Amino acid sequence: MLPGASSAQTLTLIGYKRGGVPLAVATLIVWIFPACLIMGALSFLLHYFDKRALNTDIFKFIAPMAAGFLVYGCYTTFSHGVRNTITWVIMLVGTAATFFSF
């Protein structure tokens, strides 16, 4: 539901070309704010509807499904992104930092 990266970048660049950094920031905020507000509100309402209104736990698989989609995306793009020694080093350092930090 969030606006795509290419549309946000295009609008921000138009704002930057027309009015500099202040207009670019204002354009980006105006473009992203409605979708962020709606998605944020729906994320809180999802828990409310699941526990109180429906009296079930129907949405308990949302978080594991999201994690599964992320793992699948990482697995499928691995062969395209990690091709030489420096990208292997960056991947291993990032993995270790994530593991030990969180």
Side-chain angles (χ1 to χ4, degrees), residues 5-77:
S6 60
S7 63
Q9 289 174 357
T10 303
L11 287 173
T12 304
L13 181 62
I14 292 170
Y16 178 73
K17 292 287 186 180
R18 293 286 188 174
V21 174
L23 187 60
V25 171
T27 304
L28 183 64
I29 290 171
V30 167
W31 181 249
I32 291 177
F33 183 73
C36 287
L37 185 69
I38 292 169
M39 286 186 66
L42 288 177
S43 71
F44 289 112
L45 289 176
L46 183 71
H47 181 69
Y48 171 76
F49 284 132
D50 192 28
K51 297 289 183 192
R52 292 187 180 89
L54 297 176
N55 291 327
T56 60
D57 202 14
I58 195 168
F59 298 119
K60 66 182 174 184
F61 298 113
I62 296 282
M65 285 174 53
F69 286 132
L70 288 173
V71 168
Y72 176 74
C74 290
Y75 177 76
T76 56
T77 59

Side-chain angles (χ1 to χ4, degrees), residues 88-101:
W88 270 98
V89 170
I90 292 170
M91 180 196 68
L92 292 175
V93 168
T95 302
T98 304
F99 180 76
F100 290 118
S101 296

